């Protein structure tokens, strides 16, 4: 049963009563299990700082010095994480400790400001023997208080620079609230929108996810983690969590080594290269070995092949879940499997604390492994400057939350992430003096525009679509809710029809509640509930043009909605500036520039459907559905705008080259319309014949750029054969084979040849 609690940070008082300050000689500490630990020498000379407290020394030296002074209990305590504050996350269940030792490595911090953190930190820094500061982490997924669009929307912006700006805002706010570490970015590839956590990643493509993941890591962490406003990042969920069967959460995944390397590992590798300080192990069982007990992924790949020198934290209770997953017979065995596989920090289930000492004594876990895990955690604490600056200055909230420039970033990102799916008869953009009937359950809603994982965001911070639209329209907007998000109550339909009949155009705001996606929020169909579709069908009978505005945390089955609407705008869950952003796009203040990063299937039954699949043995007219087209409704990369972009001929600097050459592909794009707009050129590669078959096409590069009306620009893609034309096998070894390849841009396909 879930127990919410304000953590009682009762430091072992016997410990506090003993020696705490540097300068004292030695002491024996009781540990949580009642056994004693060896005495440890501390520095007698008060004027000479202990090496680990000397900020002029290299981090490695400080880590080694501190490690050499630690008792076993102090080391084990570093490997545990608990919570502090009111844990209001419904999926964070089964907390198992109510007394948190002040020597603990980390806490998940549920605070709006730094005061509680500072009080706890004081216990750790001033009342423990070695004064090791605690690392405070939190799920800052798409903003802390200034909530910006969900990651799935961020991907659809195709603007990693802007995504980085938003992460800077999140980091700044979180840092002021006392958070050192965010459990973000999530770089899980998801191809099944029934899985609610598709909302938390950047979509179905490994390359695009890699780019956004790396941009987020760099933005959160900055160049120097100890600088104000920088926080450590955490790549999650390592790995393959998105391969969830039938979209159910937490279930086992079947992933071949080939698919692991082709699809699920690349974004993690990119994030590690970008400098991610930490990684979170996943809940899913990966073809027999759970992610949180997987030596291959955590040690052989992450730490040995990629040389990651940060640490791996478990997902919530992921160690104890090794029992439910059928691997460990009890908590002790679970702890053994996890730490031996390379999992450094145990999130909340307290098993490392309970069992590591015994496991060491029995020789089932080595001291070397424990020391390695402790080193990795201490290293981050030193890099964050926590020993020098353990406390967060408590500034008035007005100085750091919802600042005008933060809201501006949130708004820009919301605008750039919206995808215009349909616009028959150029019904959009709306004239500002037209009479709008704003209808639907999302029209005046605030809280659901936040999406899942909204940090410390508040519904009252959100500007609704109704308020956003009223702000820009010259005539006042008429409103009727029509119906709720689900259920069968059609009593509001008549009023909606009346309002629609008196208008020039209907803007119908449909979608999902925020808790319909995210963790543990799967849906068996990704169509909207029938009542919302029925409202559209009823309004259609008025003969008025209908613009459907969608807000949701996944791709949708629009089989009924899309044909019935004149225009469809996908706005995702756009965050606090959702209303103004929607209004701007609807009225042409912003030319829509978002493009899908998840395929919208024709119906739910097509799932999984994604663009970068391999070719079938019988192409074309075979292997088709009896009842629906075999092509999706809207493909990856799709999205309309209010202007026309004319693409010239794609050219290449050489059509034949060797592996050591670089060739440049170019295409000139002209904004042939009369509205400025941002166009993203998407560069794909196709390797038609290979000893290890490749997907029909793979995104390798993209660039988004503002093109003023009438302006043209030549976009380029410099091809590095080893990077862009090679492939990996199931062991992660990279190969390149001579032969023909195709560069694909829009509907063009240009052949290039790699020679021996
Ligand atoms: C479980 C989620 O899977 C993970 O993404 C999150 O970071 C942790 N809970 C902590 O809240």
């Amino acid at each position: 049963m879930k127990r919410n609690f304000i953590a009682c940070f009762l430091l072992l008082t016997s410990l506090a009563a003993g020696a705490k300050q540097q300068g004292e000689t030695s002491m024996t500490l009781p540990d949580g299990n009642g056994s004693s630990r060896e005495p440890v020498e501390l520095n007698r000379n008060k004027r000479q700082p202990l090496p680990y407290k000397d900020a002029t020394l290299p981090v490695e030296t400080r880590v080694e010095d501190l490690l050499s002074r630690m008792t076993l209990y102090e080391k084990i305590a570093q490997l545990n994480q608990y919570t502090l504050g009111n844990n209001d996350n419904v999926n964070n269940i089964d907390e198992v400790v109510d007394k948190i030792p002040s020597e603990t490595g980390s806490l998940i911090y549920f605070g709006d400001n730094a005061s509680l953190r500072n009080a706890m930190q004081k216990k750790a820094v001033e009342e423990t023997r070695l004064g090791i500061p605690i690392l405070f982490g939190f799920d800052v997924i798409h903003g802390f208080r200034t909530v910006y669009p969900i990651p799935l929307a961020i991907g659809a912006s195709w603007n990693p620079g802007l995504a980085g700006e938003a992460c800077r805002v999140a980091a700044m706010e979180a840092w002021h609230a006392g958070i050192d570490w965010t459990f973000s970015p999530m770089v899980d590839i998801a191809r099944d929108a029934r899985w609610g956590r598709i909302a938390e990643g950047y979509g179905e493509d490994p390359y695009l996810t890699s780019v956004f993941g790396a941009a987020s890591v760099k933005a959160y962490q900055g160049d120097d983690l100890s600088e104000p406003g920088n926080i450590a990042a955490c790549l999650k969920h390592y790995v393959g969590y998105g391969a969830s069967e039938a979209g159910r959460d937490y279930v086992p995944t079947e992933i071949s080594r080939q698919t692991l390397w082709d699809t699920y590992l690349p974004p993690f590798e990119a994030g590690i290269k970008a400098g991610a300080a930490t990684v979170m192990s996943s809940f899913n069982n990966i073809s027999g070995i759970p992610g949180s007990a997987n030596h291959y992924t955590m040690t052989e790949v992450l730490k040995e092949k990629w040389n990651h020198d940060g640490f791996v934290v478990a997902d919530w209770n992921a160690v104890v879940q090794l029992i439910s997953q059928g691997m460990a017979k009890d908590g002790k065995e679970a702890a053994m499997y996890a730490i031996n596989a390379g999992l450094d920090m145990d999130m909340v289930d307290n098993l490392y604390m309970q069992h590591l000492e015994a496991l060491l004594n029995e020789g089932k876990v080595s001291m070397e492994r424990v020391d390695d895990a402790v080193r990795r955690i201490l290293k981050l604490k030193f890099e964050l400057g926590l020993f020098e600056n353990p406390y967060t200055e408590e500034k008035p909230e007005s100085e750091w939350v919802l600042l005008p420039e933060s809201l501006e970033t949130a708004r820009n990102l919301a605008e750039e992430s919206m995808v215009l799916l349909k616009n028959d008869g150029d019904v959009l953009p709306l004239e500002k003096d037209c009479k709008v009937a704003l209808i639907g359950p999302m029209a005046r809603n605030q809280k659901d525009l936040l999406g899942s994982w909204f940090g410390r965001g508040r519904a009252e911070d959100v500007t609704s679509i109704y308020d956003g639209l009223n702000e820009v329209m010259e005539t006042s907007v008429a409103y009727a809710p029509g119906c709720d998000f689900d259920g069968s109550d059609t009593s509001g339909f008549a009023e909606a029809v009346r309002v629609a009949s008196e208008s020039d155009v209907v803007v119908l705001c449909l979608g999902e509640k925020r808790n319909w996606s995210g963790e543990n929020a799967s849906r068996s169909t990704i169509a909207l509930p029938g009542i919302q579709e029925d409202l559209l069908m009823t309004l259609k009978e008025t003969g008025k043009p209908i613009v459907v505005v969608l807000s949701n945390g996944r791709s949708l089955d629009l089989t009924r909605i899309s044909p019935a609407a004149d225009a469809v705008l996908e706005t995702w869950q756009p965050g606090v500036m959702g209303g103004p952003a929607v209004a701007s796009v609807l009225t042409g203040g912003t030319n829509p520039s978002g493009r899908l990063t998840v395929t919208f299937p024709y119906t739910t039954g097509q799932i999984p459907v994604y663009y970068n699949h391999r070719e079938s043995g019988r192409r074309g007219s075979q292997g088709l559905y009896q009842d629906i087209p075999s092509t999706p409704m809207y493909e990856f990369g799709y999205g309309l705008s209010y202007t026309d972009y004319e693409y010239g001929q794609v050219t290449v600097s050489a059509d034949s080259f060797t592996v050591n050459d670089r060739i440049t592909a170019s295409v000139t794009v002209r904004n042939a319309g009369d509205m400025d707009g941002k166009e993203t050129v998407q560069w794909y590669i196709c390797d038609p014949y290979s000893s290890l078959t490749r997907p029909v096409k793979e995104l390798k590069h993209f660039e988004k750029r503002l093109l003023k009306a009438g302006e043209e620009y030549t976009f380029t893609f410099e091809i590095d054969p080893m990077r862009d034309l090679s492939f990996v096998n199931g062991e992660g070894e990279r190969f390149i084979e001579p032969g023909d390849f195709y560069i694909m841009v829009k509907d063009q396909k240009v052949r290039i040849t790699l020679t021996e």
Side-chain angles (χ1 to χ4, degrees), residues 353-373:
M353 194 63 130
Q354 286 174 33
H355 301 297
L356 278 187
E357 184 172 352
L359 288 166
L360 279 156
N361 290 338
E362 291 164 23
K364 291 182 175 156
V365 171
S366 70
M367 199 59 226
E368 200 186 357
R369 174 75 266 274
V370 170
D371 280 348
D372 172 59

Short mmCIF file of all heavy atoms in Angstrom, two decimals, residues 353-373:
data_model
loop_
_atom_site.label_atom_id
_atom_site.label_comp_id
_atom_site.label_asym_id
_atom_site.label_seq_id
_atom_site.Cartn_x
_atom_site.Cartn_y
_atom_site.Cartn_z
N MET A 353 21.06 -1.53 1.22
CA MET A 353 21.29 -1.20 2.63
C MET A 353 21.15 -2.46 3.49
O MET A 353 21.95 -2.72 4.38
CB MET A 353 20.28 -0.14 3.06
CG MET A 353 20.62 0.53 4.35
SD MET A 353 22.18 1.42 4.21
CE MET A 353 21.72 3.00 4.84
N GLN A 354 20.14 -3.24 3.18
CA GLN A 354 19.88 -4.42 4.02
C GLN A 354 20.85 -5.57 3.78
O GLN A 354 21.17 -6.31 4.70
CB GLN A 354 18.46 -4.94 3.75
CG GLN A 354 17.37 -4.10 4.33
CD GLN A 354 16.00 -4.62 3.86
OE1 GLN A 354 15.80 -5.81 3.66
NE2 GLN A 354 15.08 -3.70 3.67
N HIS A 355 21.30 -5.73 2.56
CA HIS A 355 21.98 -7.00 2.26
C HIS A 355 23.43 -6.92 1.79
O HIS A 355 24.09 -7.96 1.72
CB HIS A 355 21.18 -7.75 1.18
CG HIS A 355 19.77 -8.05 1.60
ND1 HIS A 355 19.48 -8.86 2.67
CD2 HIS A 355 18.58 -7.61 1.10
CE1 HIS A 355 18.15 -8.93 2.81
NE2 HIS A 355 17.59 -8.17 1.87
N LEU A 356 23.91 -5.76 1.44
CA LEU A 356 25.25 -5.76 0.85
C LEU A 356 26.34 -6.24 1.81
O LEU A 356 27.27 -6.94 1.41
CB LEU A 356 25.61 -4.38 0.29
CG LEU A 356 25.06 -4.07 -1.11
CD1 LEU A 356 25.62 -2.74 -1.62
CD2 LEU A 356 25.36 -5.19 -2.10
N GLU A 357 26.23 -5.86 3.06
CA GLU A 357 27.27 -6.28 3.98
C GLU A 357 27.35 -7.82 4.05
O GLU A 357 28.43 -8.41 3.95
CB GLU A 357 27.04 -5.69 5.37
CG GLU A 357 28.16 -6.04 6.33
CD GLU A 357 28.07 -5.32 7.67
OE1 GLU A 357 27.22 -4.43 7.83
OE2 GLU A 357 28.87 -5.65 8.55
N ALA A 358 26.21 -8.45 4.18
CA ALA A 358 26.19 -9.93 4.24
C ALA A 358 26.70 -10.52 2.93
O ALA A 358 27.47 -11.48 2.92
CB ALA A 358 24.78 -10.41 4.53
N LEU A 359 26.29 -9.92 1.82
CA LEU A 359 26.73 -10.44 0.51
C LEU A 359 28.25 -10.34 0.36
O LEU A 359 28.89 -11.22 -0.21
CB LEU A 359 26.01 -9.70 -0.62
CG LEU A 359 24.52 -10.03 -0.79
CD1 LEU A 359 23.83 -9.01 -1.69
CD2 LEU A 359 24.36 -11.43 -1.39
N LEU A 360 28.80 -9.27 0.91
CA LEU A 360 30.26 -9.11 0.88
C LEU A 360 30.91 -10.17 1.76
O LEU A 360 31.87 -10.83 1.35
CB LEU A 360 30.64 -7.71 1.38
CG LEU A 360 30.52 -6.59 0.35
CD1 LEU A 360 30.33 -5.25 1.05
CD2 LEU A 360 31.73 -6.54 -0.56
N ASN A 361 30.37 -10.33 2.94
CA ASN A 361 30.94 -11.31 3.86
C ASN A 361 30.91 -12.72 3.28
O ASN A 361 31.80 -13.53 3.51
CB ASN A 361 30.20 -11.29 5.21
CG ASN A 361 30.49 -10.00 5.96
OD1 ASN A 361 31.51 -9.36 5.71
ND2 ASN A 361 29.60 -9.62 6.86
N GLU A 362 29.88 -12.99 2.52
CA GLU A 362 29.74 -14.33 1.93
C GLU A 362 30.51 -14.46 0.62
O GLU A 362 30.47 -15.49 -0.03
CB GLU A 362 28.26 -14.63 1.68
CG GLU A 362 27.46 -14.80 2.95
CD GLU A 362 25.95 -14.70 2.71
OE1 GLU A 362 25.49 -14.94 1.57
OE2 GLU A 362 25.23 -14.36 3.67
N GLY A 363 31.14 -13.39 0.21
CA GLY A 363 31.93 -13.44 -1.02
C GLY A 363 31.08 -13.44 -2.28
O GLY A 363 31.55 -13.74 -3.37
N LYS A 364 29.81 -13.06 -2.15
CA LYS A 364 28.94 -13.07 -3.34
C LYS A 364 28.99 -11.75 -4.10
O LYS A 364 28.53 -11.63 -5.23
CB LYS A 364 27.50 -13.38 -2.92
CG LYS A 364 27.37 -14.82 -2.45
CD LYS A 364 25.95 -15.16 -2.08
CE LYS A 364 25.87 -16.64 -1.73
NZ LYS A 364 24.75 -16.93 -0.86
N VAL A 365 29.48 -10.75 -3.42
CA VAL A 365 29.71 -9.44 -4.05
C VAL A 365 31.12 -9.04 -3.64
O VAL A 365 31.53 -9.26 -2.50
CB VAL A 365 28.68 -8.40 -3.55
CG1 VAL A 365 29.04 -7.00 -4.03
CG2 VAL A 365 27.28 -8.77 -4.02
N SER A 366 31.84 -8.44 -4.55
CA SER A 366 33.22 -8.08 -4.21
C SER A 366 33.30 -6.65 -3.69
O SER A 366 32.51 -5.78 -4.07
CB SER A 366 34.12 -8.23 -5.44
OG SER A 366 33.80 -7.21 -6.37
N MET A 367 34.31 -6.43 -2.84
CA MET A 367 34.55 -5.07 -2.34
C MET A 367 34.91 -4.14 -3.49
O MET A 367 34.57 -2.96 -3.49
CB MET A 367 35.69 -5.13 -1.30
CG MET A 367 35.76 -3.95 -0.39
SD MET A 367 34.23 -3.75 0.55
CE MET A 367 33.98 -2.02 0.34
N GLU A 368 35.57 -4.73 -4.45
CA GLU A 368 35.98 -3.95 -5.64
C GLU A 368 34.75 -3.36 -6.34
O GLU A 368 34.74 -2.21 -6.74
CB GLU A 368 36.70 -4.92 -6.57
CG GLU A 368 37.58 -4.28 -7.59
CD GLU A 368 38.11 -5.34 -8.55
OE1 GLU A 368 37.84 -6.55 -8.38
OE2 GLU A 368 38.80 -4.93 -9.49
N ARG A 369 33.72 -4.17 -6.45
CA ARG A 369 32.48 -3.71 -7.12
C ARG A 369 31.80 -2.63 -6.28
O ARG A 369 31.33 -1.62 -6.81
CB ARG A 369 31.54 -4.93 -7.33
CG ARG A 369 30.16 -4.59 -7.89
CD ARG A 369 30.18 -4.25 -9.39
NE ARG A 369 30.29 -2.84 -9.66
CZ ARG A 369 29.26 -1.98 -9.74
NH1 ARG A 369 28.04 -2.39 -9.59
NH2 ARG A 369 29.46 -0.71 -10.00
N VAL A 370 31.76 -2.83 -4.98
CA VAL A 370 31.14 -1.82 -4.12
C VAL A 370 31.94 -0.51 -4.20
O VAL A 370 31.37 0.57 -4.37
CB VAL A 370 31.05 -2.33 -2.66
CG1 VAL A 370 30.63 -1.22 -1.71
CG2 VAL A 370 30.05 -3.49 -2.58
N ASP A 371 33.25 -0.61 -4.11
CA ASP A 371 34.07 0.60 -4.20
C ASP A 371 33.87 1.31 -5.53
O ASP A 371 33.82 2.53 -5.61
CB ASP A 371 35.56 0.24 -4.03
CG ASP A 371 35.93 0.06 -2.56
OD1 ASP A 371 35.11 0.43 -1.69
OD2 ASP A 371 37.03 -0.45 -2.28
N ASP A 372 33.76 0.52 -6.59
CA ASP A 372 33.57 1.11 -7.91
C ASP A 372 32.25 1.91 -7.94
O ASP A 372 32.21 3.04 -8.43
CB ASP A 372 33.55 -0.01 -8.96
CG ASP A 372 33.15 0.48 -10.33
OD1 ASP A 372 33.84 1.37 -10.86
OD2 ASP A 372 32.12 0.00 -10.87
N ALA A 373 31.21 1.33 -7.38
CA ALA A 373 29.92 2.02 -7.37
C ALA A 373 30.00 3.29 -6.52
O ALA A 373 29.50 4.35 -6.92
CB ALA A 373 28.84 1.08 -6.83
#
